[in-house]
Amino acid sequence: MDLKLDHYTEGDTEIVVVEGEIDVYTAPRLRELLIDLVNKGNFHLVVNMEKVEFLDSTGLGVLVGGLKRVRAHDGTLDLVCTQERILKIFRITGLTKVFGIHETVQEAIDKRSSK
């Protein structure tokens, strides 16, 4: 399975849609997209991982790197994920305390807007 990436803007938030597997082979493409978005001034990101089928430590590293990058600009990086097998990875690694993890893109946007 390959990795499909797409993104669109909703208000002041850039939504990144990820589909497939985020692993050692595909994670660099996600890293490049996140860096490019931040370099273009997008500091509020939501990564929609609803169609992600696999996530390894390289993929986690890319997400953490993206979070550090937006936080350097007082930004946010939230995740949309309801799949138990992917959520389990975030729980085991303790990253549920680092990332905002939401059930829908709209919930992620509303949560940040209410802060």
Side-chain angles (χ1 to χ4, degrees):
M1 179 78 185
D2 198 18
L3 182 69
K4 290 183 189 168
L5 295 172
D6 197 10
H7 63 94
Y8 62 93
T9 306
E10 195 161 313
D12 67 345
T13 305
E14 194 69 20
I15 314 300
V16 178
V17 182
V18 186
E19 185 176 337
E21 298 181 356
I22 308 173
D23 59 20
V24 68
Y25 303 107
T26 61
R29 288 179 43 217
L30 177 58
R31 178 184 292 117
E32 286 172 21
L33 176 59
L34 294 177
I35 290 170
D36 187 48
L37 290 172
V38 172
N39 287 345
K40 289 180 178 169
N42 298 291
F43 304 131
H44 297 291
L45 306 177
V46 173
V47 179
N48 185 343
M49 300 178 60
E50 281 298 276
K51 295 184 178 176
V52 170
E53 295 168 13
F54 179 80
L55 177 68
D56 73 0
S57 59
T58 309
L60 284 175
V62 166
L63 292 171
V64 170
L67 180 64
K68 287 179 180 178
R69 200 164 263 109
V70 295
R71 281 193 175 164
H73 300 277
D74 293 324
T76 57
L77 191 154
D78 290 301
L79 307 176
V80 174
C81 183
T82 58
Q83 296 182 69
E84 191 53 42
R85 67 180 179 277
I86 304 294
L87 288 170
K88 188 174 182 181
I89 295 166
F90 286 100
R91 280 197 290 271
I92 289 169
T93 56
L95 290 173
T96 52
K97 295 175 181 75
V98 176
F99 288 102
I101 301 177
H102 307 279
E103 293 191 7
T104 66
V105 169
Q106 194 57 54
E107 179 186 300
I109 292 170
D110 291 347
K111 193 78 159 188
R112 187 179 64 74
S113 298
S114 67
K115 285 183 182 175

